[in-house]
Amino acid sequence: MEKTTFSTFEASKNKRGFITMISLAVLIVIAFIISMNTGYIRLTPMELLNTIFGKGTDKQELILFQFRLPRIVISVLIGAGLAVSGAVMQGVFRNALADPGILGINAGAGIMVMLLISFYPTATAAPVYLLPMVAFVGAGVTAALIYALAYKRHQGISPMRLLLTGVAVAAGMSAAMIVLTLRLDPEKYQFVATWLAGSIWGTSWKFVLSLLPWILILVPYVIYKARVMNVLNLGEQTAVGLGAAVTKEQFRLLAAAVGLAAASVAVSGGIGFVGLVGPHLARRLVGPKHQLMLPTSALLGALLVITADTIGRWILQPSEIPTGIVVAVIGAPYFLYLLARTKS
Amino acid sequence: MNQQITTRIGADKGVVKRDFRSRPWAATLILVGGLALLVLGIAVSVSFGAADIKLSVVWSAVFNFNPEIMDHQIIRELRLPRVLGGAMIGASFAVAGAIMQGMTRNPLADSGLMGINSGAGFALALCFAFFPNLSFMYLILYSFLGAGVGAGVVYGIGSLAKGGLTPARLVLAGAAFSALLSALSEGVALYFHIGQDLAFWYAGGVAGTKWIQLKIMFPWIGAALLGAMVISRSITMLSLGDDVAKGLGQRTGLVKLAGALIVLVLAGSSVAVVGAVGFIGLIIPHLTRFFVGVDYRWIIPCSAILGSLLAVFADLTARMINPPNETPLGAIIALIGVPFFLYLARKERREL
């Protein structure tokens, strides 16, 4: 008797999860369409439709296919990547406030990207496919550094110490970054400043291609590991008791999270808070089960970034606000709200 | 404050001694020696630069000024305001940090970490963008205002939390709020094309300090430092805990208000001059407490001296690393400050 109630409960949860995900997907499609419409040159829905089916003018095609579409696709990809990365970090560290931005991992990736840019003749010539790799190295080294600095013998990693260490390392990184910025010539400076503010700057299909494999491999991998994450969530000792190879799994998951964050940061710069907001809302909507929570986070992250990017292009036309700023304006108050609500 | 009390805390990990003594002799040594060292540092800093100038010329430039001599001009108009500005902001950041740490009993309190610097910074970004010709006097006032709002929000959110205002929470609230404000400042900067101005300001530096800034700033900072000395005894009591302070007959609300105002004036005006230099207020009070003990009547003046020393020598280093290019002062101090912060974060065992 009890077993049946439990399974109906589970089934209803799964059903709710699916409904949530489908609604989110619909919302993303709507945002996608609105976003295609938004910008300095407006396209009416009819023109848009015509252009999509190849009947638009050359100019309309150029705008849609060469500028807007790649940008929108990129914002979907990085939104998903950052949100899943945050979800994994929150799961592995069992800390509700973990996020690649707050932990200083974005800064680590950023500094490497900036080094690459400052040693390359011009900004545009920087090899696109190299950027995620370089960012990955930076993010990985930073993650390892933060982990090592926060680790204490006999006590392991305390969540708060980890966050504080992340904050400190991020402060150090941004100091180093400022030193580097001031040495750049004005042209590169403008590029770096926009990059740091979290502008989706890689607006061509090349960047989509350089980002796609990372997201397409790592997001499904993490979702595939959802059961392991559920077990890890029960606490280290329980997880070991249930037969999980805790350290190994933690390491793999973290590597995936770092990869996702790094690839996203390489094309989007300093977009923070997505990794925090996405998973939290997801948990609220579909509960803590990672099979549901991870895909929902991905969808929410994508929706958040695509919306922020559209808002940023729309508010101050003809100039645009970097996406990262819009996300911070939405995300930081939410973080503060969470901080005020969590118990120590 | 002279009794010797040693307590044992954390008996599980062996004996950790906590020293509650005050050491007036060490404090006097710091005041006298530090002042001498500071004068030396200022002299070296004035004579060192793109054009090396002999100390004797420095002497005559100060006491026997002749406007026709080029070196005298350099010293008067560029180097002296710079080094004096450095000394002034070093002292004020350090004292602001000492007061905050004493009042909140939070070992991680610092104007840079708690949203005060970024609040002032955001106010200045708005000023640069909307009123580019604002006089420095108003710049300072807006910077106070920004500092106040920043501190208010961070402190407010930190204390809204269930389980109260822990040091770690305050730092996190500060980090998130600073991220928000710097995102907004960046947005303003990009939109109004004042990016590089603001970047130099964010980097933090004393290079562009002018006499007029010092003149406007000095009365504020001087008064605030005096005020800090006046309430120093009360801060010592507060640092023992609110209950103790109340038990000793102190009006804690009044002292906290006075302390908060002093911190805002000190940090707000310093940020207006040199930008977002963090970590001085974190490092110096810890160092000072280590040397002179727990009495804020000694901690505050010694912090002022040591803070000046740190700023002056960091600025000297900043100019020496890669001449003629300058490394931003803020970056140099972060380089010292970050490891120190990490050390504190590891050491703190309660709550963190």
Side-chain angles (χ1 to χ4, degrees):
Chain A
M1 186 66 197
E2 205 160 70
K3 204 183 165 201
T4 37
T5 357
F6 183 69
S7 54
T8 32
F9 175 67
E10 277 293 284
S12 80
K13 259 205 149 165
N14 283 343
K15 204 174 147 198
R16 196 178 146 200
F18 278 118
I19 293 171
T20 313
M21 277 189 246
I22 288 166
S23 334
L24 283 172
V26 171
L27 282 176
I28 288 177
V29 171
I30 294 173
F32 204 103
I33 293 169
I34 295 176
S35 186
M36 284 198 292
N37 247 323
T38 311
Y40 182 50
I41 295 163
R42 294 197 68 99
L43 302 173
T44 63
M46 265 325 276
E47 281 173 345
L48 202 65
L49 214 63
N50 280 336
T51 319
I52 290 173
F53 291 112
K55 288 180 203 147
T57 62
D58 283 355
K59 195 177 153 202
Q60 285 169 342
E61 273 185 11
L62 184 75
I63 291 171
L64 193 65
F65 288 112
Q66 295 310 315
F67 292 103
R68 286 199 191 150
L69 266 183
R71 179 167 178 159
I72 298 170
V73 172
I74 282 177
S75 58
V76 169
L77 291 177
I78 57 174
L82 288 171
V84 170
S85 170
V88 173
M89 285 181 192
Q90 288 173 17
V92 170
F93 293 130
R94 294 201 292 134
N95 185 332
L97 298 175
D99 159 88
I102 291 166
L103 281 176
I105 287 164
N106 286 1
I111 220 167
M112 288 299 284
V113 169
M114 210 158 111
L115 277 176
L116 184 73
I117 288 166
S118 43
F119 283 120
Y120 255 83
T122 59
T124 43
V128 175
Y129 301 99
L130 209 60
L131 276 176
M133 303 276 184
V134 168
F136 181 73
V137 172
V141 170
T142 315
L145 183 72
I146 293 170
Y147 196 89
L149 286 172
Y151 187 84
K152 263 190 173 177
R153 267 213 336 222
H154 309 303
Q155 293 176 22
I157 293 285
S158 109
M160 263 307 171
R161 197 164 53 230
L162 188 80
L163 277 177
L164 287 175
T165 309
V167 169
V169 170
M173 296 273 177
S174 50
M177 219 156 359
I178 282 169
V179 175
L180 289 173
T181 347
L182 291 179
R183 290 186 182 180
L184 295 177
D185 55 65
E187 189 191 332
K188 275 187 191 170
Y189 172 78
Q190 192 60 33
F191 174 77
V192 169
T194 329
W195 184 83
L196 285 176
S199 197
I200 298 170
W201 57 280
T203 50
S204 73
W205 292 108
K206 273 196 299 187
F207 291 93
V208 176
L209 281 181
S210 75
L211 183 58
L212 205 59
W214 293 76
I215 307 287
L216 279 190
I217 294 169
L218 291 176
V219 170
Y221 173 75
V222 170
I223 294 176
Y224 164 73
K225 285 277 179 189
R227 287 167 55 99
V228 177
M229 290 191 66
N230 289 341
V231 174
L232 285 180
N233 249 14
L234 299 172
E236 221 153 287
Q237 272 150 2
T238 322
V240 173
L242 288 172
V246 172
T247 327
K248 218 192 251 172
E249 295 292 354
Q250 275 180 340
F251 179 78
R252 284 180 193 155
L253 283 165
L254 273 185
V258 166
L260 282 171
S264 308
V265 166
V267 274
S268 74
I271 293 187
F273 294 108
V274 181
L276 186 86
V277 176
H280 270 279
L281 285 177
R283 223 171 275 131
R284 224 175 243 203
L285 289 172
V286 301
K289 228 177 109 187
H290 282 88
Q291 283 92 334
L292 294 175
M293 194 275 251
L294 288 172
T296 312
S297 306
L299 291 170
L300 276 167
L303 185 63
L304 176 64
V305 175
I306 199 173
T307 313
D309 185 48
T310 314
I311 294 176
R313 270 189 286 153
W314 171 62
I315 288 186
L316 287 180
Q317 284 180 33
S319 61
E320 47 184 68
I321 310 174
T323 318
I325 293 176
V326 183
V327 176
V329 169
I330 306 170
Y334 190 72
F335 178 84
L336 293 172
Y337 163 76
L338 285 177
L339 187 69
R341 278 191 66 233
T342 47
K343 298 193 197 107
S344 39
Chain B
M1 284 292 128
N2 247 339
Q3 337 94 297
Q4 296 185 10
I5 313 164
T6 9
T7 50
R8 298 168 129 216
I9 36 175
D12 53 326
K13 292 264 152 67
V15 183
V16 179
K17 275 185 185 160
R18 202 162 167 198
D19 196 348
F20 281 117
R21 271 172 303 175
S22 151
R23 301 185 202 84
W25 51 270
T28 318
L29 196 69
I30 287 181
L31 287 179
V32 176
L35 215 53
L37 209 59
L38 187 62
V39 171
L40 182 76
I42 289 175
V44 171
S45 182
V46 169
S47 75
F48 176 86
D52 270 327
I53 298 171
K54 274 187 195 149
L55 278 176
S56 60
V57 182
V58 173
W59 182 268
S60 66
V62 174
F63 295 101
N64 202 0
F65 180 61
N66 180 354
E68 280 165 30
I69 303 175
M70 175 77 163
D71 283 352
H72 283 200
Q73 289 275 14
I74 292 177
I75 289 168
R76 270 277 163 130
E77 296 309 319
L78 297 175
R79 297 214 181 145
L80 263 182
R82 170 183 193 146
V83 68
L84 293 179
M88 214 191 257
I89 61 106
S92 55
F93 276 131
V95 171
I99 293 176
M100 283 161 78
Q101 288 174 15
M103 280 198 322
T104 61
R105 303 215 294 152
N106 182 342
L108 300 176
D110 165 63
S111 60
L113 295 170
M114 287 175 56
I116 293 180
N117 288 5
S118 52
F122 181 55
L124 290 179
L126 289 180
C127 287
F128 287 160
F130 293 107
F131 316 105
N133 300 318
L134 210 61
S135 80
F136 190 72
M137 183 71 204
Y138 282 100
L139 226 50
I140 287 195
L141 285 178
Y142 282 120
S143 153
F144 290 164
L145 198 70
V149 172
V153 170
V154 169
Y155 201 82
I157 288 168
S159 34
L160 274 180
K162 287 176 198 157
L165 192 70
T166 64
R169 220 172 242 161
L170 212 57
V171 171
L172 285 180
F177 192 60
S178 297
L180 174 63
L181 287 181
S182 55
L184 289 173
S185 307
E186 269 163 32
V188 170
L190 283 172
Y191 187 68
F192 290 93
H193 299 290
I194 50 171
Q196 221 147 6
D197 293 349
L198 214 61
F200 274 104
W201 182 86
Y202 258 109
V206 284
T209 316
K210 297 183 186 67
W211 280 115
I212 175 78
Q213 290 178 315
L214 295 186
K215 265 184 200 155
I216 294 173
M217 214 173 87
F218 186 74
W220 292 97
I221 288 185
L225 290 178
L226 272 181
M229 275 315 292
V230 172
I231 62 165
S232 59
R233 218 177 93 84
S234 312
I235 292 178
T236 313
M237 287 187 215
L238 272 183
S239 74
L240 301 171
D242 272 22
D243 296 336
V244 177
K246 276 185 192 138
L248 291 168
Q250 179 164 94
R251 296 165 68 184
T252 51
L254 197 68
V255 175
K256 280 186 178 169
L257 184 70
L261 279 178
I262 290 170
V263 167
L264 291 185
V265 169
L266 287 174
S269 49
S270 305
V271 168
V273 177
V274 296
V277 175
F279 292 109
I280 295 183
L282 181 79
I283 306 170
I284 294 297
H286 280 278
L287 204 65
T288 314
R289 267 194 299 271
F290 176 76
F291 286 125
V292 308
V294 294
D295 190 344
Y296 276 80
R297 279 175 299 181
W298 293 114
I299 292 175
I300 286 175
C302 291
S303 288
I305 293 283
L306 291 176
S308 297
L309 273 176
L310 176 62
V312 166
F313 280 97
D315 180 46
L316 200 59
T317 318
R319 283 188 284 159
M320 275 169 24
I321 288 180
N322 184 18
N325 293 321
E326 297 206 359
T327 313
L329 181 63
I332 300 275
I333 291 181
L335 212 65
I336 311 167
V338 167
F340 190 78
F341 180 90
L342 287 172
Y343 163 75
L344 286 180
R346 278 181 78 86
K347 203 183 80 167
E348 273 312 307
R349 296 203 287 156
R350 302 169 296 135
E351 297 159 82
L352 293 190

Coordinates of all heavy atoms in Angstrom, one line a residue, chain A residues 38 43 65 125 134 165 240 242 266 323 333:
Chain A
T38 N 14.1 41.9 -32.1 CA 14.6 43.0 -31.3 C 15.9 43.5 -31.9 O 16.8 42.7 -32.2 CB 14.7 42.7 -29.8 OG1 13.5 42.1 -29.4 CG2 15.0 43.9 -29.0
L43 N 12.4 43.9 -37.5 CA 11.7 43.1 -38.5 C 10.3 42.8 -38.1 O 10.2 42.3 -36.9 CB 12.5 41.8 -38.8 CG 14.0 42.0 -39.1 CD1 14.7 40.6 -39.2 CD2 14.1 42.7 -40.5
F65 N 20.6 36.1 -40.2 CA 21.4 34.9 -40.2 C 22.8 35.1 -39.7 O 23.4 34.2 -39.2 CB 21.4 34.2 -41.6 CG 20.0 33.6 -41.9 CD1 19.2 34.1 -42.8 CD2 19.6 32.5 -41.1 CE1 18.0 33.5 -43.1 CE2 18.4 31.9 -41.4 CZ 17.6 32.4 -42.4
A125 N 41.6 38.7 -34.4 CA 42.5 37.6 -34.9 C 42.7 36.5 -33.9 O 43.2 35.5 -34.2 CB 43.8 38.2 -35.3
V134 N 41.8 27.6 -23.7 CA 42.6 28.5 -22.8 C 41.8 28.8 -21.6 O 42.3 28.7 -20.5 CB 43.0 29.7 -23.6 CG1 43.5 30.8 -22.7 CG2 44.0 29.4 -24.7
T165 N 37.2 31.7 0.3 CA 38.4 31.6 -0.4 C 38.2 32.0 -1.9 O 39.0 32.7 -2.5 CB 38.9 30.1 -0.4 OG1 38.9 29.7 0.9 CG2 40.3 30.0 -1.0
V240 N 29.3 7.1 0.6 CA 30.3 6.0 0.7 C 29.6 4.8 1.1 O 29.9 3.7 0.5 CB 31.5 6.4 1.6 CG1 32.4 5.2 1.8 CG2 32.2 7.6 1.1
L242 N 26.7 3.9 0.5 CA 25.9 3.4 -0.6 C 26.7 2.9 -1.7 O 26.2 2.5 -2.8 CB 24.9 4.4 -1.1 CG 23.7 4.8 -0.2 CD1 23.0 6.0 -0.7 CD2 22.8 3.6 0.0
A266 N 34.3 31.9 -22.0 CA 35.2 32.3 -23.2 C 34.4 33.1 -24.2 O 35.0 34.1 -24.8 CB 35.8 31.1 -23.8
T323 N 25.0 41.9 -21.7 CA 24.1 41.0 -21.1 C 24.4 40.7 -19.6 O 23.6 40.6 -18.8 CB 24.2 39.6 -21.8 OG1 24.2 39.9 -23.2 CG2 23.0 38.7 -21.5
P333 N 20.3 40.8 -6.7 CA 19.3 40.9 -5.6 C 18.8 39.5 -5.2 O 18.5 39.3 -4.0 CB 18.2 41.7 -6.3 CG 18.9 42.5 -7.4 CD 20.0 41.6 -7.8

